[in-house]
């Protein structure tokens, strides 16, 4: 469960809504992972699960980043628009953990993923869940440097 830094409940709700609205209207993220002395990043398609406040990605277990997820689930990443105008920049930074889904969780998430990306039915790659520990949305359309920050419940 994600909660906003500030204690004002109304503001918390509005800011979380802005973050989830952004997440739900995008579909590609960049994720970074590390193990020992190796750092790696990958771009992946994702879908949102607003009810459980997480993302699902599809990736083969033998990819470099997936092997690293299995050794260390802690990740960071970004999601952003490609714009040349700074005043139109909206982007999200996140940290969290990635988990390989199995059994019923995997079946449920795969159905959602394939519904959103029908081409995924042609692949039997693994489904992973990203659980957030922190989210920070920068939205210059709301005023230069406007930020909405959230951290996970302990």
């Amino acid at each position: 469960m994600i909660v906003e830094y500030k204690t004002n409940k109304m503001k918390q709700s509005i800011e979380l809504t802005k973050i989830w609205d952004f997440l739900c209207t995008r579909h590609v993220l960049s994720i970074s992972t590390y193990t020992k002395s190796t750092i790696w990043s990958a771009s992946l398609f994702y879908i949102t699960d607003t009810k459980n406040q997480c993302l699902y990605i599809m990736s083969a277990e033998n990819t470099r980043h997936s092997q690293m997820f299995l050794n260390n689930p802690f990740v960071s990443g970004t999601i952003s628009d490609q714009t040349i105008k700074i005043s139109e920049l909206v982007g999200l930074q996140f940290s969290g953990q990635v988990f390989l889904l199995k059994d019923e969780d995997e079946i449920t998430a795969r159905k959602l993923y394939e519904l959103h990306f029908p081409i995924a039915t042609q692949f039997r790659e693994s489904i992973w869940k990203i659980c957030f520990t922190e989210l920070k949305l920068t939205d210059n359309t709301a005023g230069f440097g406007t930020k909405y920050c959230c951290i996970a419940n302990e």
Side-chain angles (χ1 to χ4, degrees):
M1 177 64 140
I2 301 295
V3 294
E4 200 268 333
Y5 279 115
K6 299 175 180 71
T7 56
N8 180 316
K9 295 292 183 193
M10 178 61 82
K11 185 169 186 138
Q12 174 181 323
S13 176
I14 292 168
E15 293 192 2
L16 281 174
T17 299
K18 287 181 183 291
I19 289 170
W20 283 99
D21 285 349
F22 177 83
L23 284 167
C24 290
T25 57
R26 301 333 186 258
H27 58 271
V28 177
L29 59 78
S30 177
I31 195 165
S32 297
T33 184
Y34 69 95
T35 57
K36 297 179 185 171
S37 62
T38 303
I39 300 170
W40 195 249
S41 297
S43 294
L44 300 162
F45 288 98
Y46 74 88
I47 62 164
T48 56
D49 180 342
T50 54
K51 179 182 175 193
N52 294 307
Q53 293 188 324
C54 65
L55 304 182
Y56 300 117
I57 57 176
M58 177 184 277
S59 184
E61 286 182 54
N62 65 351
T63 63
R64 187 173 183 179
H65 56 273
S66 292
Q67 286 295 300
M68 293 172 76
F69 295 159
L70 292 170
N71 288 313
N72 177 14
F74 297 97
V75 296
S76 65
T78 62
I79 301 167
S80 65
D81 293 333
Q82 300 295 313
T83 180
I84 193 119
K85 291 185 178 180
I86 293 173
S87 62
E88 296 174 0
L89 176 69
V90 182
L92 183 95
Q93 296 166 273
F94 67 86
S95 62
Q97 293 185 13
V98 178
F99 302 97
L100 178 61
L101 296 180
K102 298 286 186 189
D103 304 321
E104 281 299 314
D105 291 335
E106 187 268 341
I107 292 168
T108 301
R110 182 175 300 281
K111 286 179 184 174
L112 292 171
Y113 195 91
E114 291 175 351
L115 184 64
H116 195 76
F117 299 114
I119 195 165
T121 60
Q122 299 175 25
F123 306 97
R124 296 311 304 167
E125 308 301 353
S126 298
I127 301 291
W128 305 77
K129 178 180 181 178
I130 302 173
C131 297
F132 297 114
T133 53
E134 186 170 359
L135 295 160
K136 182 172 84 172
L137 179 71
T138 300
D139 183 358
N140 285 352
T141 67
F144 183 77
T146 300
K147 295 184 181 5
Y148 307 103
C149 301
C150 300
I151 58 171
N153 279 337
E154 298 288 329

